[in-house]
Amino acid sequence: MTDNKYRADFPIFEKHPCVYLDSAATAQRPRVVIEAEKEFYETMNANPLRGLYDLSVKATEAYERSREETASFIGAESPDEIIFTRNTTESLNLVAYSYAMNFIKPGDEIVTTVMEHHSNMLPWQAAAEKTGAKLLYLEPDEEGNFSDDEIVTKINDRTALVAVGHVSNVMGCVNPVKKIAERAHRYGAVVVVDGAQSTPHMQVDIKQLGADFFAFSGHKLMGPMGVGVLYGRRDLLEKMPPFLTGGEMIESVTLKKTVYAAIPHKFEAGTVNAAGAFALAAAIRYLKAVGFDEIRQTEDRLVELIFEGFAKSSHIHILGSKDPKMHNGIVSFTMDDVHPHDISSILDADGINIRAGHHCAQPLMEYLKVGSTARASVYLYNDEEDIQKFVEKTLKVRRWLGLES
Amino acid sequence: MSLESVYGQVLNEHNLHPFHKGETEGATLMLEGKNPSCGDDIILQLKVSEDGTIEDGSFAGSGCAISQASVDIMLDLIIGETKERALELVGEFMNMIHGKATEEEIEDLDEAGALKDISHMPARVKCAVLGWHTLEEMLK
């Protein structure tokens, strides 16, 4: 019997029993989220923002209410500053294409970090190439910390934009976004924060962080796949041209001239994922009802159990901080003489699901001098039994490959 | 599928003690094969004589046990064979990994037959075929 009272809220564990330790890739969904998506299609489905009839008005209201809830979830001043996208990647690309490529000049500098997920790195490489700006990378120590010196040296009066991940998807560490943002703002640079790995685990306040743009995905915080969020400061969004053009983002169109809609709709061309946004709001409500303190306690306890278990082997090496409380549910590790894909396959034979590979962070893997790693990530529905099974089997992996355990 | 049927003695032996890891002196062909999603990376070298016989071969690089063992077993099989025979073995191996090989074909593959249950592990098929696919590219 599980000691986790939330587990029963997740139908997957009933229909496909497994030890799910890949929540950093995508979380499982509670019944209320799955039901919300169904409820939208069963009771309020029409193309929102268009029709003048009652059903479309209902769909529009549901969609815009979800925007309000999302705004308040991260502390945005106004729902107008919330743009629904497909995911974090699209949100960050929107900023790169609509903001960076239009407002950054040759000789400006864009600063990001070697720790970033590819989705918060490739858009800046593209923006730097397009604008003639120089791209600089902040380099962390092996526990994932950025020195003050690194921040002060690389962020200066040439800096036009700083893009930083809030929580690393490999090391689980929280980056000093506030400190970086204060430094960046002193020189008038714009701060873009990738919140994909932080929003599921902690209360985010974008004002307190100093984010001018903040991107996250619905699916990592138990919402549906295919809905993501971009927060943007009103004055920035207003001066940016649209990312995509087409339906539902205009004020008026003639054959010669188009007047775009006001924000946020200027950035939401085409039929939107209203059911997704509606279900995302349900996920946010579920998350708030459980509470971040509770989530944190569960994650810290489980990560600590993994640390204790792995301490029994001299062949397992955990990446990042030695303090389990600094991991936000993420434990990436390597095993001597064993490729992470073999670890993953051997665990999979017992229904234990972990991630193996470079986690879309190849430059970080290279920087840390590891080829690829295995990653277990926990969330609020995991219990001690999950961790016990995972640790026990992981400690046997070397023996499966004919090595001393 | 049981784990023993894949991570068995043959695979472990070839992974831990590869016979053909290193360089080939006088190599006439060399090609790098990569699985970008896993980071598996091998460099295959062959010495092929004028009459088309594979006289020697080796591999370098790094990867998972399945990719490493599979390429080592492959080299065991093809060294001493003609290019045509090697390509025939590649075809049989691909059939086996995709679950389409006949009993005779699996028997013909000798030790490589130990990898047949990878056909039940779709996520690992690309690891098993990396060396074989690279060989095919080289010889075609």
Side-chain angles (χ1 to χ4, degrees):
Chain A
M1 259 313 278
T2 178
D3 59 346
N4 187 314
K5 63 181 173 189
Y6 302 109
R7 202 170 169 96
D9 295 342
F10 294 79
I12 192 105
F13 297 120
E14 203 180 301
K15 303 198 180 201
H16 181 98
C18 61
V19 175
Y20 189 75
L21 297 174
D22 198 16
S23 296
T26 195
Q28 295 300 341
R29 286 104 185 99
R31 197 168 285 106
V32 287
V33 169
I34 300 166
E35 290 294 329
E37 186 131 358
K38 186 161 170 257
E39 186 193 345
F40 181 92
Y41 285 121
E42 282 184 355
T43 67
M44 56 192 102
N45 180 56
N47 206 324
L49 309 155
R50 287 171 171 72
L52 297 171
Y53 47 90
D54 178 54
L55 193 60
S56 174
V57 171
K58 223 170 149 183
T60 307
E61 281 172 1
Y63 183 59
E64 294 303 333
R65 210 165 43 241
S66 306
R67 196 190 305 278
E68 286 164 25
E69 289 189 55
T70 307
S72 102
F73 176 58
I74 56 168
E77 248 165 55
S78 155
D80 295 347
E81 296 175 313
I82 298 295
I83 299 158
F84 285 120
T85 61
R86 283 187 302 140
N87 45 43
T88 306
T89 301
E90 185 175 294
S91 297
L92 293 167
N93 272 274
L94 193 160
V95 181
Y97 280 84
S98 289
Y99 180 79
M101 291 190 193
N102 289 297
F103 297 100
I104 288 181
K105 299 180 292 295
D108 284 354
E109 290 179 356
I110 298 174
V111 179
T112 183
T113 84
V114 299
M115 207 195 276
E116 299 311 309
H117 187 283
H118 294 164
S119 63
N120 196 28
M121 187 177 283
L122 274 53
W124 312 119
Q125 289 179 350
E129 191 167 326
K130 180 97 178 173
T131 58
K134 191 172 163 197
L135 184 59
L136 301 176
Y137 294 96
L138 298 178
E139 296 181 8
D141 66 17
E142 62 174 24
E143 292 212 355
N145 303 308
F146 296 103
S147 70
D148 286 350
D149 192 42
E150 187 70 7
I151 294 170
V152 169
T153 315
K154 290 186 179 160
I155 301 174
N156 52 47
D157 57 2
R158 293 183 297 277
T159 311
L161 184 146
V162 180
V164 59
H166 194 184
V167 167
S168 159
N169 72 315
V170 177
M171 301 203 264
C173 53
V174 181
N175 287 326
V177 173
K178 194 176 176 195
K179 192 195 281 182
I180 289 172
E182 276 168 5
R183 176 84 188 164
H185 286 153
R186 191 187 303 177
Y187 300 103
V190 161
V191 175
V192 186
V193 180
D194 171 358
Q197 294 294 350
S198 63
T199 40
H201 306 284
M202 62 185 67
Q203 183 64 58
V204 167
D205 182 338
I206 46 158
K207 294 282 167 225
Q208 200 263 336
L209 279 177
D212 299 305
F213 292 101
F214 186 90
F216 66 99
S217 291
H219 71 98
K220 288 200 206 285
L221 48 84
M222 303 177 290
M225 289 183 179
V227 63
V229 176
L230 174 68
Y231 156 82
R233 224 175 66 203
R234 178 186 287 274
D235 60 313
L236 296 172
L237 291 178
E238 279 174 347
K239 72 176 185 179
M240 285 155 59
F243 179 36
L244 302 170
T245 55
E248 207 42 63
M249 45 79 67
I250 45 91
E251 192 66 47
S252 68
V253 177
T254 67
L255 291 179
K256 283 195 180 130
K257 187 169 169 54
T258 295
V259 179
Y260 296 122
I263 63 164
H265 300 109
K266 177 168 83 173
F267 294 103
E268 293 180 356
T271 296
V272 296
N273 183 1
F278 184 70
L280 171 62
I284 290 173
R285 284 194 294 277
Y286 182 83
L287 204 50
K288 282 181 171 169
V290 174
F292 284 109
D293 288 344
E294 174 101 4
I295 292 172
R296 166 121 231 152
Q297 272 179 26
T298 305
E299 290 173 352
D300 284 356
R301 185 165 46 89
L302 299 180
V303 169
E304 205 165 333
L305 283 177
I306 298 176
F307 270 63
E308 280 171 25
F310 281 3
K312 290 179 193 147
S313 166
S314 57
H315 296 292
I316 300 177
H317 313 285
I318 294 172
L319 270 74
S321 174
K322 290 175 182 65
D323 180 355
K325 291 191 163 43
M326 305 291 276
H327 278 260
N328 286 288
I330 293 174
V331 182
S332 292
F333 62 99
T334 58
M335 193 184 287
D336 294 336
D337 308 313
V338 180
H339 191 280
H341 280 221
D342 294 313
I343 304 177
S344 169
S345 285
I346 289 168
L347 295 181
D348 184 42
D350 284 354
I352 304 166
N353 308 325
I354 64 159
R355 178 81 188 266
H358 49 61
H359 317 297
C360 299
Q362 279 183 11
L364 176 63
M365 299 287 122
E366 208 163 292
Y367 184 76
L368 295 172
K369 298 190 176 58
V370 291
S372 64
T373 73
R375 180 185 71 188
S377 50
V378 301
Y379 206 16
L380 59 97
Y381 35 70
N382 290 115
D383 60 13
E384 292 185 9
E385 198 182 320
D386 286 343
I387 302 307
Q388 199 188 329
K389 284 183 187 161
F390 162 65
V391 168
E392 214 168 278
K393 184 82 180 186
T394 305
L395 291 174
K396 286 187 188 149
V397 162
R398 279 177 51 93
R399 218 178 306 158
W400 274 104
L401 292 162
L403 295 154
E404 286 170 54
S405 60
Chain B
M1 184 210 65
S2 73
L3 210 48
E4 291 89 342
S5 68
V6 173
Y7 290 96
Q9 211 186 337
V10 173
L11 182 133
N12 287 345
E13 189 58 30
H14 281 276
N15 176 45
L16 296 178
H17 310 291
F19 301 116
H20 304 289
K21 194 151 189 173
E23 303 278 318
T24 303
E25 218 171 293
T28 55
L29 293 170
M30 183 162 97
L31 190 67
E32 186 176 18
K34 271 187 180 198
N35 275 334
S37 64
C38 339
D40 287 348
D41 182 7
I42 61 156
I43 295 162
L44 196 58
Q45 294 188 352
L46 293 182
K47 185 179 174 192
V48 182
S49 70
E50 275 175 23
D51 69 353
T53 305
I54 300 167
E55 291 181 330
D56 199 5
S58 66
F59 74 100
S62 63
C64 64
I66 293 175
S67 73
Q68 299 286 293
S70 183
V71 67
D72 198 55
I73 293 170
M74 177 190 84
L75 284 163
D76 256 3
L77 279 179
I78 62 156
I79 291 171
E81 302 289 347
T82 61
K83 287 204 287 190
E84 290 69 30
R85 169 68 179 149
L87 284 169
E88 188 188 2
L89 287 164
V90 171
E92 289 172 352
F93 185 82
M94 296 297 184
N95 281 346
M96 180 182 81
I97 291 297
H98 293 109
K100 294 185 298 195
T102 61
E103 287 284 323
E104 290 78 36
E105 283 179 313
I106 294 175
E107 205 162 302
D108 194 34
L109 284 166
D110 199 26
E111 267 199 332
L115 299 174
K116 72 171 186 300
D117 278 335
I118 290 175
S119 61
H120 305 298
M121 300 168 82
R124 305 306 300 279
V125 162
K126 58 185 187 309
C127 312
V129 304
L130 177 63
W132 299 77
H133 184 71
T134 310
L135 175 70
E136 192 178 26
E137 292 288 302
M138 273 170 111
L139 296 182
K140 265 189 172 167

